[in-house]
Amino acid sequence: MPDIVFPTSHYPGLKASEGAGRLYGCYAEAIGEGGRSGAVRHRAPGLVNFGTTGRTGFRGAIEIDGVLYCGFGTKLEKFTSSGGASTNVGNLNGTKKGFFARNNASTPDKWFVDPDGNIAVFTPSSVTNAWPDADLPAVNSTCSIDGYGVFTTGNGRAFATDLNSTAVNALSFGAAESKPDGLTRAVPWGGRLYLAGPQTIEIWVDQGLSPFPFTRADVIPIGIAGPYCITGFEDNFTKGLAIVGGDNGVHLIDSNVPVKISTSDLDALIEAVSDKTDIEMGSYISRGNAFIQISCSSWTWVFNINTKKWNERPSYLIARSRITQPFYSFGKWLCGDTLTGNVQQITSAAHREISKPLVCEVWSAPVQAFPQRVAAVSAHFDFAVGVGDAEGEDPIATYPDVEISYSIDGGQTFTPPRVRKLGRQSEGKARVRINQIKAAGRQGYIFKVRMSSPVHFGLMAGEVFATQRAA
């Protein structure tokens, strides 16, 4: 009776037969001492609608004084804390995702910059697509720290405004010169200013100097792969910075030291993206789990900082997650949506992505006795059962089911799924099982569990009743 080993992290392998289990749309959490298994696989947090617009192309967001400002295509929209339909503020130049910032003035100055050099300042009722001080040159990113606005240039300079002002002294800049790699992005973290280029990240601190208030304190010997390849600095995300580095790996920045967290499978995917501006990182927290999401047009991987484990997060019928540029506002984790012009809330209370299913899929590690062959009689699966929602959609929520299939060729093909019920609300039920399983070859079995019903998903363990056969 060998165990069916379900993974706690995502290891698809270069080929399916080399994998050690997969997690799609779900992540593993430790159950705790005395639990029925070492870990349970839970559905990734879903999406519910927060605000609507008639726009497309989410470009970023910032909350200032109880108003949420969001860029969509060539428009700047705003929302109140109650969400709902947006109100147009004005026009924005450009179309690329960009960066919002503000200072600490009593009436804050507010602005937006994108990597193409488009810049805008705005009020609650108007947008001006130019910077008020002509001494600021063409820039490619911005942030704010200690009341200063900070801007980077491709030739490696970082400019700062006067304190709580849009005025810029033409000499108020510092040069990132540890390497001649230019600058791609500026972000604040822990009271320090991180100036990131393709090969290095320089750390500068506020010394109150004049005309440029910052001085360099340290250098991290790795850069970022693109303008959206850094995260963890977002408000209310307290776990530290993470980057997609110039080495095509994903790193956490720990005490100014890059610590690699990506696997070779993910490194290969990042390496294959020729246009690194297509790679986007973001951070959010759900049920206490701190997630770092990395996406491009054709995939999304998510790292759980709490558990140090990976999973993939596709959306329904597309390989990339709908979540883009998550941020914290009004006590919620919100995000843009790649499929609509709306703002969505990320929440574990939702088992869908708006009206679409959020599908959980788990591939087991191979169940084998190499070089012998394995012949299974039945397979049993330990789920949280009785998870139907009596007030949910009938029958997919009131009487939910799960699909189970298996492969005997190393994950290249799977049998048609067997559908099994998980029970109505609070209904006691025996373990889920399937019978009449075909004999496997030397590659053994890979079991696939898939669930789209919009209710709680909790997969803990599995066991197969099998005999060995001669090779």
Side-chain angles (χ1 to χ4, degrees), residues 286-302:
S286 177
R287 235 177 63 87
N289 291 281
F291 295 108
I292 294 171
Q293 178 169 299
I294 306 162
S295 297
C296 77
S297 298
S298 55
W299 47 261
T300 294
W301 283 49
V302 179

PDB file of all heavy atoms in Angstrom, residues 286-302:
ATOM      1  N   SER A 286      -2.494  36.764   1.727  1.00  0.00           N
ATOM      2  CA  SER A 286      -3.813  36.163   1.886  1.00  0.00           C
ATOM      3  C   SER A 286      -3.741  35.089   2.966  1.00  0.00           C
ATOM      4  O   SER A 286      -2.867  34.224   2.926  1.00  0.00           O
ATOM      5  CB  SER A 286      -4.275  35.540   0.563  1.00  0.00           C
ATOM      6  OG  SER A 286      -5.522  34.890   0.712  1.00  0.00           O
ATOM      7  N   ARG A 287      -4.650  35.156   3.903  1.00  0.00           N
ATOM      8  CA  ARG A 287      -4.700  34.197   5.026  1.00  0.00           C
ATOM      9  C   ARG A 287      -3.354  34.088   5.728  1.00  0.00           C
ATOM     10  O   ARG A 287      -2.940  33.020   6.179  1.00  0.00           O
ATOM     11  CB  ARG A 287      -5.151  32.823   4.527  1.00  0.00           C
ATOM     12  CG  ARG A 287      -6.367  32.277   5.257  1.00  0.00           C
ATOM     13  CD  ARG A 287      -6.820  30.949   4.686  1.00  0.00           C
ATOM     14  NE  ARG A 287      -5.850  29.904   4.826  1.00  0.00           N
ATOM     15  CZ  ARG A 287      -5.739  29.111   5.900  1.00  0.00           C
ATOM     16  NH1 ARG A 287      -6.544  29.278   6.924  1.00  0.00           N
ATOM     17  NH2 ARG A 287      -4.821  28.165   5.951  1.00  0.00           N
ATOM     18  N   GLY A 288      -2.635  35.215   5.790  1.00  0.00           N
ATOM     19  CA  GLY A 288      -1.342  35.252   6.446  1.00  0.00           C
ATOM     20  C   GLY A 288      -0.191  34.787   5.580  1.00  0.00           C
ATOM     21  O   GLY A 288       0.973  34.922   5.980  1.00  0.00           O
ATOM     22  N   ASN A 289      -0.481  34.235   4.419  1.00  0.00           N
ATOM     23  CA  ASN A 289       0.571  33.788   3.512  1.00  0.00           C
ATOM     24  C   ASN A 289       1.027  34.948   2.637  1.00  0.00           C
ATOM     25  O   ASN A 289       0.199  35.624   2.010  1.00  0.00           O
ATOM     26  CB  ASN A 289       0.065  32.648   2.624  1.00  0.00           C
ATOM     27  CG  ASN A 289      -0.176  31.380   3.401  1.00  0.00           C
ATOM     28  OD1 ASN A 289       0.749  30.646   3.726  1.00  0.00           O
ATOM     29  ND2 ASN A 289      -1.434  31.113   3.725  1.00  0.00           N
ATOM     30  N   ALA A 290       2.326  35.171   2.598  1.00  0.00           N
ATOM     31  CA  ALA A 290       2.903  36.249   1.797  1.00  0.00           C
ATOM     32  C   ALA A 290       3.348  35.670   0.457  1.00  0.00           C
ATOM     33  O   ALA A 290       4.256  34.832   0.396  1.00  0.00           O
ATOM     34  CB  ALA A 290       4.088  36.873   2.524  1.00  0.00           C
ATOM     35  N   PHE A 291       2.714  36.117  -0.619  1.00  0.00           N
ATOM     36  CA  PHE A 291       2.952  35.566  -1.947  1.00  0.00           C
ATOM     37  C   PHE A 291       3.712  36.562  -2.822  1.00  0.00           C
ATOM     38  O   PHE A 291       3.387  37.754  -2.844  1.00  0.00           O
ATOM     39  CB  PHE A 291       1.629  35.228  -2.638  1.00  0.00           C
ATOM     40  CG  PHE A 291       0.851  34.124  -1.968  1.00  0.00           C
ATOM     41  CD1 PHE A 291      -0.311  34.410  -1.261  1.00  0.00           C
ATOM     42  CD2 PHE A 291       1.275  32.811  -2.039  1.00  0.00           C
ATOM     43  CE1 PHE A 291      -1.042  33.409  -0.647  1.00  0.00           C
ATOM     44  CE2 PHE A 291       0.547  31.797  -1.428  1.00  0.00           C
ATOM     45  CZ  PHE A 291      -0.616  32.091  -0.729  1.00  0.00           C
ATOM     46  N   ILE A 292       4.677  36.048  -3.551  1.00  0.00           N
ATOM     47  CA  ILE A 292       5.353  36.796  -4.603  1.00  0.00           C
ATOM     48  C   ILE A 292       4.952  36.168  -5.924  1.00  0.00           C
ATOM     49  O   ILE A 292       5.154  34.960  -6.132  1.00  0.00           O
ATOM     50  CB  ILE A 292       6.882  36.741  -4.441  1.00  0.00           C
ATOM     51  CG1 ILE A 292       7.308  37.469  -3.162  1.00  0.00           C
ATOM     52  CG2 ILE A 292       7.584  37.352  -5.644  1.00  0.00           C
ATOM     53  CD1 ILE A 292       8.768  37.272  -2.838  1.00  0.00           C
ATOM     54  N   GLN A 293       4.381  36.958  -6.798  1.00  0.00           N
ATOM     55  CA  GLN A 293       3.901  36.446  -8.087  1.00  0.00           C
ATOM     56  C   GLN A 293       4.795  36.959  -9.208  1.00  0.00           C
ATOM     57  O   GLN A 293       5.127  38.135  -9.266  1.00  0.00           O
ATOM     58  CB  GLN A 293       2.462  36.891  -8.321  1.00  0.00           C
ATOM     59  CG  GLN A 293       1.902  36.443  -9.674  1.00  0.00           C
ATOM     60  CD  GLN A 293       0.415  36.655  -9.774  1.00  0.00           C
ATOM     61  OE1 GLN A 293      -0.364  36.093  -9.019  1.00  0.00           O
ATOM     62  NE2 GLN A 293       0.007  37.483 -10.731  1.00  0.00           N
ATOM     63  N   ILE A 294       5.149  36.044 -10.109  1.00  0.00           N
ATOM     64  CA  ILE A 294       5.972  36.369 -11.271  1.00  0.00           C
ATOM     65  C   ILE A 294       5.228  35.905 -12.507  1.00  0.00           C
ATOM     66  O   ILE A 294       4.870  34.731 -12.619  1.00  0.00           O
ATOM     67  CB  ILE A 294       7.349  35.676 -11.201  1.00  0.00           C
ATOM     68  CG1 ILE A 294       8.038  36.018  -9.876  1.00  0.00           C
ATOM     69  CG2 ILE A 294       8.226  36.064 -12.377  1.00  0.00           C
ATOM     70  CD1 ILE A 294       9.154  35.077  -9.530  1.00  0.00           C
ATOM     71  N   SER A 295       4.993  36.831 -13.437  1.00  0.00           N
ATOM     72  CA  SER A 295       4.198  36.519 -14.626  1.00  0.00           C
ATOM     73  C   SER A 295       4.878  37.031 -15.877  1.00  0.00           C
ATOM     74  O   SER A 295       5.631  38.007 -15.855  1.00  0.00           O
ATOM     75  CB  SER A 295       2.808  37.179 -14.541  1.00  0.00           C
ATOM     76  OG  SER A 295       2.062  36.693 -13.463  1.00  0.00           O
ATOM     77  N   CYS A 296       4.591  36.356 -16.972  1.00  0.00           N
ATOM     78  CA  CYS A 296       4.791  36.920 -18.303  1.00  0.00           C
ATOM     79  C   CYS A 296       3.548  36.540 -19.106  1.00  0.00           C
ATOM     80  O   CYS A 296       2.588  36.010 -18.557  1.00  0.00           O
ATOM     81  CB  CYS A 296       6.085  36.429 -18.944  1.00  0.00           C
ATOM     82  SG  CYS A 296       5.998  34.754 -19.600  1.00  0.00           S
ATOM     83  N   SER A 297       3.559  36.790 -20.381  1.00  0.00           N
ATOM     84  CA  SER A 297       2.355  36.555 -21.179  1.00  0.00           C
ATOM     85  C   SER A 297       1.917  35.100 -21.178  1.00  0.00           C
ATOM     86  O   SER A 297       0.734  34.803 -21.365  1.00  0.00           O
ATOM     87  CB  SER A 297       2.587  37.010 -22.629  1.00  0.00           C
ATOM     88  OG  SER A 297       2.843  38.385 -22.679  1.00  0.00           O
ATOM     89  N   SER A 298       2.838  34.166 -20.945  1.00  0.00           N
ATOM     90  CA  SER A 298       2.517  32.750 -21.133  1.00  0.00           C
ATOM     91  C   SER A 298       2.613  31.910 -19.866  1.00  0.00           C
ATOM     92  O   SER A 298       2.461  30.691 -19.940  1.00  0.00           O
ATOM     93  CB  SER A 298       3.423  32.152 -22.215  1.00  0.00           C
ATOM     94  OG  SER A 298       4.784  32.365 -21.913  1.00  0.00           O
ATOM     95  N   TRP A 299       2.849  32.490 -18.699  1.00  0.00           N
ATOM     96  CA  TRP A 299       2.859  31.709 -17.468  1.00  0.00           C
ATOM     97  C   TRP A 299       2.823  32.631 -16.253  1.00  0.00           C
ATOM     98  O   TRP A 299       3.144  33.817 -16.340  1.00  0.00           O
ATOM     99  CB  TRP A 299       4.069  30.778 -17.361  1.00  0.00           C
ATOM    100  CG  TRP A 299       5.411  31.388 -17.691  1.00  0.00           C
ATOM    101  CD1 TRP A 299       6.088  31.286 -18.873  1.00  0.00           C
ATOM    102  CD2 TRP A 299       6.237  32.190 -16.829  1.00  0.00           C
ATOM    103  NE1 TRP A 299       7.271  31.981 -18.803  1.00  0.00           N
ATOM    104  CE2 TRP A 299       7.400  32.539 -17.564  1.00  0.00           C
ATOM    105  CE3 TRP A 299       6.116  32.658 -15.525  1.00  0.00           C
ATOM    106  CZ2 TRP A 299       8.421  33.321 -17.034  1.00  0.00           C
ATOM    107  CZ3 TRP A 299       7.135  33.450 -14.988  1.00  0.00           C
ATOM    108  CH2 TRP A 299       8.269  33.763 -15.742  1.00  0.00           C
ATOM    109  N   THR A 300       2.462  32.048 -15.112  1.00  0.00           N
ATOM    110  CA  THR A 300       2.541  32.714 -13.809  1.00  0.00           C
ATOM    111  C   THR A 300       2.978  31.697 -12.765  1.00  0.00           C
ATOM    112  O   THR A 300       2.355  30.641 -12.627  1.00  0.00           O
ATOM    113  CB  THR A 300       1.194  33.320 -13.389  1.00  0.00           C
ATOM    114  OG1 THR A 300       0.848  34.390 -14.273  1.00  0.00           O
ATOM    115  CG2 THR A 300       1.258  33.869 -11.968  1.00  0.00           C
ATOM    116  N   TRP A 301       4.048  32.022 -12.045  1.00  0.00           N
ATOM    117  CA  TRP A 301       4.489  31.233 -10.901  1.00  0.00           C
ATOM    118  C   TRP A 301       4.355  32.086  -9.648  1.00  0.00           C
ATOM    119  O   TRP A 301       4.510  33.306  -9.692  1.00  0.00           O
ATOM    120  CB  TRP A 301       5.946  30.799 -11.049  1.00  0.00           C
ATOM    121  CG  TRP A 301       6.180  29.652 -11.989  1.00  0.00           C
ATOM    122  CD1 TRP A 301       5.714  29.517 -13.251  1.00  0.00           C
ATOM    123  CD2 TRP A 301       6.962  28.489 -11.720  1.00  0.00           C
ATOM    124  NE1 TRP A 301       6.150  28.337 -13.804  1.00  0.00           N
ATOM    125  CE2 TRP A 301       6.929  27.689 -12.876  1.00  0.00           C
ATOM    126  CE3 TRP A 301       7.697  28.047 -10.622  1.00  0.00           C
ATOM    127  CZ2 TRP A 301       7.594  26.466 -12.966  1.00  0.00           C
ATOM    128  CZ3 TRP A 301       8.365  26.831 -10.708  1.00  0.00           C
ATOM    129  CH2 TRP A 301       8.303  26.049 -11.870  1.00  0.00           C
ATOM    130  N   VAL A 302       4.069  31.424  -8.513  1.00  0.00           N
ATOM    131  CA  VAL A 302       3.872  32.117  -7.246  1.00  0.00           C
ATOM    132  C   VAL A 302       4.731  31.452  -6.177  1.00  0.00           C
ATOM    133  O   VAL A 302       4.738  30.221  -6.049  1.00  0.00           O
ATOM    134  CB  VAL A 302       2.391  32.100  -6.830  1.00  0.00           C
ATOM    135  CG1 VAL A 302       2.210  32.811  -5.489  1.00  0.00           C
ATOM    136  CG2 VAL A 302       1.516  32.758  -7.894  1.00  0.00           C
TER     137      VAL A 302
END
